Amino acid sequence: MSRQSIFSNVKGDLSAGLVVFLIAVPLCLGIALASGAPLFSGMIAGIVGGLVIGSLSGSQLSVSGPAAGLTAVVLTAVTKFGVFEVFLLAVVIGGVIQLALGLLKAGIVANYFPSNVIKGMLTAIGIIIILKQLPHAFGYDADSEGDFAFIQVDGDNSITALLSTLNHIHLGATLITIVSVLIILYWNKIPKVNVVPAPLVAVLTGVGLNMLFIATGSVLAVAPSHLVNLPVASDFNSFIGQFTLPDFSAITNKEVWVVGATIAIVASIETLLNLEATDKLDPMKRHSPPNRELQAQGIGNIISGMLGGLPVTSVIVRSSANINSGARTKLSAISHGALLLVCAALIPTLLNKIPLATLAAVLLVTGYKLCKISIFKEMFKNGKYQWIPFVVTVVAIVFTDLLIGISLGMAVSVIAILRGNIRSSYFFRKEKYKAGESIILELAQEVSFLNKASILLTLDHMPENSTVVIDGSKTTYIDFDVLETIREFKEVKAVQKNITVIITGFKEQYKLANTENISPEQQEKIASGHVHTITGNHEQLLKELQLN
């Protein structure tokens, strides 16, 4: 498959970039507020996430910006240091560590995230978006935008905040939300006018309705506290003055290095998780290189820290909104960063007229698409070893936070797998390989998601124009992730490399069709050959394939 041009979907990408920009403004400001940092530092992080990381990333759809998952780390560090410029140095150090991790190819850890946990994460994020945006949709803004933690800064939690909302419903904000949701759902069904993005129409309508309420002195007018609140510079010098350099005199402070390392670790894990999740949502099923992503994130955090911005990660809320809005290339992420920069500099007053209710409507629709009932039904059909870790992940993330939820989901997946002996995942069998000969992968009795990385590496290094036989006749259990890996190799990667794939011995329950009409010559090759046990050592594996 040839590399897709950044200009192959200009109309769709620019439209999606506009939607992500509208969502990003209050999220950038809200995360900065929740972090105890200057509001403009959130905007700087969003600008860098779009322009710098968007350009350097290998992902076509991931959108980066200030992350809610780092809010507690930032708030604690800013409070401890007392000087924001010292914290900025920690951001730069974190970026340097991330860049080093990418160069050391630490991104391979992404191959060990099971899909049931990733899907659980996406579903949980959808639920959290809905829980967090419903108060804003009804005009109750006690919790700032960008706070995705279950326990809120104001003492409430995501559930009690909804109950509190019942006592603070604002009819004007509610009306704007309802109208905005209807526009988002039905605008594209209207011929000719649907060339204008529905979320943009919803935002303009929300602004127009509120201005009408204000002009008529209606009680439906929403207060300034319910509008976007972007810092407004009095002149160009004031705007430039919002960018801040780190305090390099604190380079010998051990605490700064500890905070920098913490930022690097948390940001890297969140980025890899979100990258994997974004690839799951990609309609074109592309794979984003994790090591390149760590390098891009590292460079992004170095630049963000140098300019006075918050730490940056790949962010699934903006990434999922990006995909739902029709993005296909990284032009959308880059354009959203450009819009953040231009609009923050030139028209902040206009942006400050946008009601949070209309942006809540955009996010509510995005959240619903992530956690539809059909996703729960699909996971239930895949059996208890997919269903149980999925549910645990969803519940844990909603009631704690992203990293704790993922950790619990992973732990449950491992416990489910370790109920029996974990054996070698497959045997790689061949005579001295020559072009045109068959290569046989014989799967062992039990194949868990822990074996996914080594099997993925093997399949990715299969020579072009070869014949690959994958034999599952001895298996009693194959993990769902491994089946997906084999299916993707057969349907996508093998086609690109002109590899003939023969599937044999797979049970009906695996839902992976065996190849019919295997020739006598191919049957003979399956039954013969010297057996090599592959234990997951990558160097040995490449040596066996004679490709190193």
Side-chain angles (χ1 to χ4, degrees), residues 427-430 439-440 442 525-532:
F427 300 101
F428 175 67
R429 184 166 16 138
K430 67 173 181 62
I439 301 172
I440 297 94
E442 185 180 280
K525 286 181 179 179
I526 294 173
S528 64
H530 184 63
V531 178
H532 296 263

Side-chain angles (χ1 to χ4, degrees), residues 13 40 57 106 160 336 392 490 506 511:
D13 289 335
F40 198 71
S57 172
T160 58
H336 117 275
V392 169
K490 180 177 184 293
F506 281 71
K511 298 179 182 178

